[in-house]
Amino acid sequence: MIIMKKLFGSLLLLLLVGGLSSCRNDLEPQKPGNHRSHTTKEKPIMKTIKMNFGGDFISESEEPLLRAEDGDTYTAINVFRTEKGVEGATEEKYAYGLFKKKEGIEINVVTGYTYRFEATILVEKVDKVFIINKSYAQPFQYSDDQSGMSNYHSEDLDTFKYTTLDSNDAIVENRKREYFRQLNSGTAHVDVAGDLGSLTQTARISYPRVKRYYGILDGFDPGVLQSVDIKMLYKSFGLKIEVVDLPSGFVTVQDVTRDGIKVKDPTDRLIFSKGLQLDKDTKRDWEGLYSMNELTSQEETFTLEFTWHKGGDANETFTTPVTIKPNTKKILQLNINGSPNYQTKGNISFTMENESLTDDIQLENHEF
């Protein structure tokens, strides 16, 4: 009887261990980096995948001539996943991260899902990304769907934050799953170098003077593919103003609302160099580089107001819409004809051309 009890006890222990092992296999591999949060029919396999960025983006190592004029480069990534073979499966947030390192970015993924990647690359130019108390603001703030924005801390740089882990790296089912909410928006908190007059040097700008790229890759299957290759599209535009002819005085320019002459809030307008004055003799042209306002748009239109300061209190003003496209430089040519005498009205000929493969010419005639 004693022998039978021992055999029976051993059998129960074996069954218990086998059952626990079977349950554990449903969640394996559970080590950090897997982030598998529920069971599947097939045992998942963790893979470390390298991420590559191509398209319009060229890495800094391939642009040696631009190093001196460009600032830091930031790469922000959202990752989402959908379980394969499950009818009606919903997409869930999986990981997000902000990277400044120049070497290859890698991510740990698990088979049994397809993944969607959203990425933006921001290269500082005139405006610098705003960081205070070791945390970044827009466009690198994160949140879930219900809460407000949280700043991204610098100690989290260069690593993915996986949204199915708690603070102790334990896999959990129910928690807020966070991600970058502004990657498809050009708006950013930047240091604007005092160009906004009375505003502080840090402001929220809809058209920051930075280089910006944007890309999406959907349907990535780690069971089939070995690397993530995201095509990044250039989502910045150049703007150049040339003074072809001007009888006297100078010209100033500002961005105004699309609905009329009312000046935009300074945080939303297109920022020009402080005190910009263009004339034929001393400064006949100006150009700048801006990020698109919405990185998913193919073109955007804003309204510029030009004022010819003829001398004394005599001014002539006109407005014109300007349509810009990503990866192009818009050239605005000003040809102002007429007597500098403030009592004489003149003609302003306004021509716009595109520095691209396709010409986009717009002629504006203004009678005064």
Side-chain angles (χ1 to χ4, degrees):
M1 180 65 67
I2 295 176
I3 295 176
M4 290 294 293
K5 287 184 177 180
K6 288 185 177 180
L7 288 174
F8 183 70
S10 298
L11 180 61
L12 284 178
L13 180 61
L14 288 173
L15 289 174
L16 179 60
V17 171
L20 289 175
S21 177
S22 176
C23 293
R24 187 167 177 268
N25 285 337
D26 288 338
L27 293 173
E28 282 189 348
Q30 275 194 336
K31 58 186 177 181
N34 171 22
H35 323 299
R36 186 70 170 189
S37 60
H38 55 272
T39 62
T40 58
K41 296 179 181 179
E42 298 179 2
K43 182 177 179 179
I45 300 174
M46 183 186 70
K47 289 188 174 183
T48 300
I49 300 295
K50 182 178 180 181
M51 303 189 67
N52 302 312
F53 301 91
D56 293 333
F57 177 72
I58 301 175
S59 68
E60 183 176 342
S61 62
E62 296 171 347
E63 281 188 313
L65 296 180
L66 295 181
R67 284 186 176 182
E69 61 174 306
D70 287 347
D72 288 335
T73 299
Y74 295 87
T75 302
I77 307 168
N78 283 328
V79 187
F80 308 87
R81 69 179 183 181
T82 304
E83 190 169 358
K84 293 176 59 178
V86 178
E87 185 177 355
T90 58
E91 182 180 79
E92 64 180 6
K93 305 176 188 70
Y94 177 69
Y96 66 103
L98 180 61
F99 299 82
K100 287 185 67 178
K101 66 179 183 180
K102 300 299 187 292
E103 59 270 19
I105 298 173
E106 294 182 338
I107 183 171
N108 294 323
V109 294
V110 181
T111 58
Y113 289 95
T114 58
Y115 294 80
R116 180 170 67 89
F117 296 84
E118 178 190 32
T120 189
I121 298 175
L122 185 154
V123 184
E124 293 180 330
K125 295 287 287 183
V126 175
D127 294 333
K128 306 301 179 184
V129 173
F130 176 53
I131 179 171
I132 186 171
N133 296 328
K134 297 183 178 181
S135 63
Y136 297 91
Q138 198 174 23
F140 304 133
Q141 288 173 311
Y142 63 91
S143 73
D144 61 12
D145 290 317
Q146 288 79 37
S147 68
M149 298 291 187
S150 298
N151 289 347
Y152 192 93
H153 294 281
S154 58
E155 60 263 26
D156 295 324
L157 283 171
D158 298 330
T159 182
F160 276 108
K161 296 172 69 67
Y162 295 90
T163 60
T164 54
L165 296 183
D166 62 18
S167 59
N168 296 317
D169 285 340
I171 296 176
V172 293
E173 279 294 338
N174 299 315
R175 72 172 298 246
K176 293 188 297 183
R177 295 184 174 176
E178 296 159 332
Y179 69 120
F180 293 120
R181 296 192 68 177
Q182 318 97 330
L183 293 195
N184 62 357
S185 170
T187 302
H189 282 97
V190 295
D191 182 347
V192 296
D195 286 347
L196 294 181
S198 61
L199 291 184
T200 62
Q201 289 192 344
T202 300
R204 174 184 174 275
I205 301 297
S206 295
Y207 294 93
R209 293 166 295 184
V210 297
K211 294 170 66 176
R212 192 79 179 267
Y213 303 82
Y214 183 72
I216 294 177
L217 175 65
D218 200 0
F220 176 81
D221 187 346
V224 177
L225 302 173
Q226 301 303 312
S227 65
V228 176
D229 299 292
I230 304 179
K231 182 180 180 181
M232 304 298 294
L233 299 179
Y234 191 52
K235 289 298 183 177
S236 298
F237 66 94
L239 181 63
K240 184 174 184 178
I241 302 173
E242 298 178 344
V243 178
V244 178
D245 194 14
L246 186 67
S248 66
F250 59 91
V251 172
T252 58
V253 57
Q254 65 175 329
D255 180 22
V256 295
T257 64
R258 301 176 187 182
D259 301 324
I261 305 302
K262 182 182 177 182
V263 177
K264 286 183 179 181
D265 183 280
T267 62
D268 291 328
R269 75 172 68 162
L270 199 71
I271 303 300
F272 294 94
S273 299
K274 187 176 181 180
L276 177 65
Q277 297 182 359
L278 301 176
D279 60 59
K280 189 179 70 171
D281 297 325
T282 60
K283 189 174 183 180
R284 56 189 307 131
D285 60 66
W286 168 92
E287 63 181 297
L289 179 74
Y290 299 88
S291 170
M292 301 288 287
N293 187 11
E294 294 295 333
L295 301 187
T296 55
S297 65
Q298 296 305 308
E299 65 177 34
E300 296 175 17
T301 300
F302 46 83
T303 301
L304 294 183
E305 177 184 274
F306 291 86
T307 302
W308 175 21
H309 303 264
K310 301 171 67 173
D313 295 329
N315 299 323
E316 302 284 4
T317 299
F318 68 94
T319 63
T320 188
V322 179
T323 299
I324 50 91
K325 299 177 181 180
N327 205 10
T328 62
K329 179 190 288 184
K330 199 77 166 183
I331 301 177
L332 287 62
Q333 295 179 325
L334 296 180
N335 184 17
I336 300 180
N337 299 311
S339 169
N341 188 314
Y342 71 91
Q343 293 180 341
T344 303
K345 301 295 183 181
N347 296 324
I348 295 180
S349 177
F350 189 80
T351 305
M352 292 192 288
E353 296 180 347
N354 242 351
E355 278 191 357
S356 65
L357 297 178
T358 303
D359 289 337
D360 180 13
I361 301 175
Q362 177 179 333
L363 178 63
E364 294 282 341
N365 290 315
H366 299 270
E367 299 287 341
F368 293 104

